[in-house]
Amino acid sequence: MRAVVFDGDLRFSENIPVPDPPEGWARIRVLLAGICGTDKEILKGYQQFKGIPGHEFVGIVEQCDDEAWIGRRVVGEINVSCGKCRWCKRGLSGHCAHRKVMGINGLNGCMAEYCILPTSNLYRVPVVLSDEKAVLIEPLSAACRVPEQLHLTGTERVVVLGDGPLGILCAWVLRTVVSSVTLVGHHPHKVAVAKWHGTEVVQGTHESLYGADIVLEATGSGNGLREAIQVCRPGGTIVLKSTISIDEPMNLSPLVVNEQMLLGSRCGNFESAFQLLRRYPDLPLERLLTGSYPIEHAIKAFDKALNPDALKVTIHLN
């Protein structure tokens, strides 16, 4: 099959074996795959991943031992847990000690004609949802994870650092819960895209933003946490969303001095994303799409995605 492969270098191949799904798994014909910040970090060595990258997708189930899934258009959660370890038994399957993560750790991803996942990870895509919106369910669910982790009253002042797709999605999701959300970006086009439902947008960090109750860091930069610590008030909460591969030292003593809480936030439940879209059908996910490339031009797609002016770049296989 055709696939994108990373083995120290990123390349396109037409000679990758079609995956055979184990019992309880499905083989999915990929229609559309998205390139996200984690995929770009993999090129820098994140998780030392080698194989087929990608974890944002929409596709059609073509092979499965449960015939009810065959022919269904689906998206899928990316963490594959063992179901037996202590974390799985405590309902923390997303943190399974033996988990595989699609396109990130131990499991090939979706930048290929076919990918495989357990049927327990799959969600059927409603007819009303286009492929272009469905491919964003994974990052939207990650954004939905934030209010699930925080005990919000609705009166907090929230600042989101980062005008990439995840930062924008987090700002939109938080704006449905609290009244004051400001997104800080550095690219005029991206900042303009982020305007929705009363979300405030600014270019660059201004002194007026300092003292925020909650600062969400989604810059994808090693400097993002430093900036978040400065913007957050004493006793406030910093939510760290970026998955970045950096080795440089960092002084964390301001976290101690200011008694700030640092909260890591990763994947979310897809049902939360679908529920949000039912509540807010005008959520403008399509604004985040910068361009789409055939899989044969995947290298160009990554080059585009690495451009600071790009938002969400996709790879299509139909």
Side-chain angles (χ1 to χ4, degrees):
M1 67 175 180
R2 295 171 297 160
V4 182
V5 179
F6 180 72
D7 53 9
D9 292 305
L10 191 69
R11 59 187 175 86
F12 167 73
S13 175
E14 297 182 280
N15 299 308
I16 303 300
V18 174
D20 189 23
E23 183 179 355
W25 289 51
R27 184 166 71 207
I28 302 143
R29 177 170 56 85
V30 178
L31 301 173
L32 199 61
I35 300 173
C36 84
T38 303
D39 299 318
K40 291 182 277 188
E41 288 299 312
I42 282 173
L43 304 186
K44 303 176 185 177
Y46 180 71
Q47 294 289 330
Q48 291 79 52
F49 177 78
K50 301 290 177 65
I52 299 171
H55 55 270
E56 301 176 357
F57 76 93
V58 56
I60 306 290
V61 175
E62 287 206 347
Q63 182 180 335
C64 182
D65 49 21
D66 182 350
E67 293 186 0
W69 282 103
I70 295 177
R72 299 287 186 179
R73 190 167 59 118
V74 297
V75 292
E77 293 187 350
I78 68 175
N79 295 289
V80 179
S81 58
C82 71
K84 299 176 182 178
C85 72
R86 59 175 176 165
W87 302 126
C88 287
K89 290 179 179 178
R90 291 176 60 178
L92 297 169
S93 59
H95 299 281
C96 168
H98 310 292
R99 72 182 181 273
K100 296 179 180 179
V101 186
M102 185 184 200
I104 299 173
N105 182 21
L107 177 64
N108 274 329
C110 60
M111 293 182 187
E113 288 186 80
Y114 296 96
C115 64
I116 58 172
L117 275 176
T119 55
S120 57
N121 284 52
L122 302 183
Y123 290 78
R124 297 174 183 178
V125 177
V127 175
V128 296
L129 210 61
S130 67
D131 291 343
E132 288 73 20
K133 287 188 176 182
V135 77
L136 291 165
I137 289 294
E138 195 280 332
L140 179 59
S141 71
C144 290
R145 177 64 177 150
V146 178
E148 293 172 353
Q149 292 177 284
L150 298 170
H151 301 288
L152 299 170
T153 66
T155 61
E156 294 84 0
R157 189 160 70 92
V158 178
V159 171
V160 176
L161 303 178
D163 54 10
L166 185 56
I168 293 173
L169 287 171
C170 287
W172 288 349
V173 169
L174 286 165
R175 184 60 185 83
T176 68
V177 182
V178 300
S179 58
S180 175
V181 177
T182 302
L183 180 135
V184 179
H186 296 281
H187 307 90
H189 166 66
K190 294 180 179 181
V191 169
V193 165
K195 295 179 180 179
W196 176 77
H197 200 65
T199 303
E200 296 182 31
V201 296
V202 297
Q203 285 185 247
T205 305
H206 302 287
E207 189 174 342
S208 61
L209 299 174
Y210 285 29
D213 300 303
I214 297 168
V215 181
L216 187 141
E217 190 285 318
T219 63
S221 163
N223 292 321
L225 179 55
R226 295 184 183 89
E227 187 177 5
I229 291 171
Q230 292 176 336
V231 174
C232 187
R233 68 167 173 81
T237 299
I238 298 166
V239 181
L240 192 60
K241 269 293 186 185
S242 293
T243 50
I244 52 179
S245 179
I246 56 172
D247 296 319
E248 62 188 60
M250 181 174 179
N251 178 19
L252 296 179
S253 61
L255 281 172
V256 180
V257 174
N258 293 323
E259 296 186 321
Q260 295 165 330
M261 291 183 288
L262 182 62
L263 176 65
S265 182
R266 192 167 58 101
C267 301
N269 185 289
F270 278 31
E271 185 54 41
S272 297
F274 284 119
Q275 288 177 5
L276 185 76
L277 288 173
R278 287 193 286 270
R279 286 171 49 212
Y280 297 92
D282 65 326
L283 191 70
L285 296 180
E286 63 281 356
R287 288 188 197 170
L288 301 180
L289 300 175
T290 295
S292 187
Y293 294 76
I295 191 168
E296 291 83 359
H297 296 158
I299 307 304
K300 289 184 179 180
F302 267 85
D303 287 343
K304 181 67 174 178
L306 289 166
N307 188 309
D309 290 329
L311 282 166
K312 179 61 63 177
V313 176
T314 60
I315 294 171
H316 59 263
L317 294 107
N318 51 355

